[in-house]
Amino acid sequence: MTGYEANVPRIVWDRVDDEVIALDCIAGIYYRLNQAASDVWQALDAGVTTERLQEAGVDSAELRSFIAELTTADVLRERHSLPEEEVPIVLSGGHLGLERFEDLKPILEADPIHEVDPSKGWPVGG
């Protein structure tokens, strides 16, 4: 059984209405997932396996493509352990829409929070 989860702490995400916004704090890229992709994202992050998602009706080729894009970008990572109890699946159906944006990259890279040194505190600088 294969499971995935958000690559935290690199990735910060939240669901707003029907969409998930996931921010890659290292690369300065953010992703917007439509409702169907958001449902799959939340299910994966909660511990639902890809096999269960396919059994629930998610197109296997589309799911593989969705996961491949997000794991290649280090947004999702393989989950090492699954929940002991079965997690419920809530799916709206439809195409797994994923958009990638780099317009905030210069702002995020200039943000002094990237200069945090856990041993010295924040901010670190001259």
Side-chain angles (χ1 to χ4, degrees):
M1 298 189 121
T2 308
Y4 294 89
E5 63 188 352
N7 190 7
V8 174
R10 177 183 180 135
I11 303 301
V12 177
W13 68 276
D14 196 12
R15 185 160 188 158
V16 180
D17 297 323
D18 293 335
E19 298 179 336
V20 162
I21 304 297
L23 172 64
D24 183 333
C25 297
I26 303 296
I29 297 168
Y30 68 98
Y31 299 82
R32 189 179 89 192
L33 287 67
N34 71 359
Q35 184 173 359
S38 295
D39 293 344
V40 167
W41 171 281
Q42 281 193 282
L44 288 169
D45 198 57
V48 175
T49 64
T50 55
E51 293 83 2
R52 282 194 58 220
L53 285 169
Q54 291 170 14
E55 289 168 8
V58 177
D59 178 84
S60 59
E62 193 172 17
L63 181 60
R64 278 193 307 274
S65 175
F66 177 77
I67 289 172
E69 183 172 348
L70 293 173
T71 54
T72 300
D74 288 329
V75 176
L76 284 178
R77 64 181 173 209
E78 196 165 332
R79 180 182 284 275
H80 296 292
S81 63
L82 296 170
E84 291 181 24
E85 295 183 19
E86 193 169 284
V87 177
I89 301 174
V90 178
L91 299 173
S92 57
H95 169 71
L96 302 182
L98 169 67
E99 295 178 274
R100 174 187 161 126
F101 299 92
E102 296 188 25
D103 55 324
L104 292 180
K105 190 172 185 173
I107 295 167
L108 293 170
E109 288 175 342
D111 189 344
I113 196 156
H114 288 95
E115 299 174 18
V116 173
D117 181 339
S119 66
K120 297 179 183 175
W122 180 83
V124 174

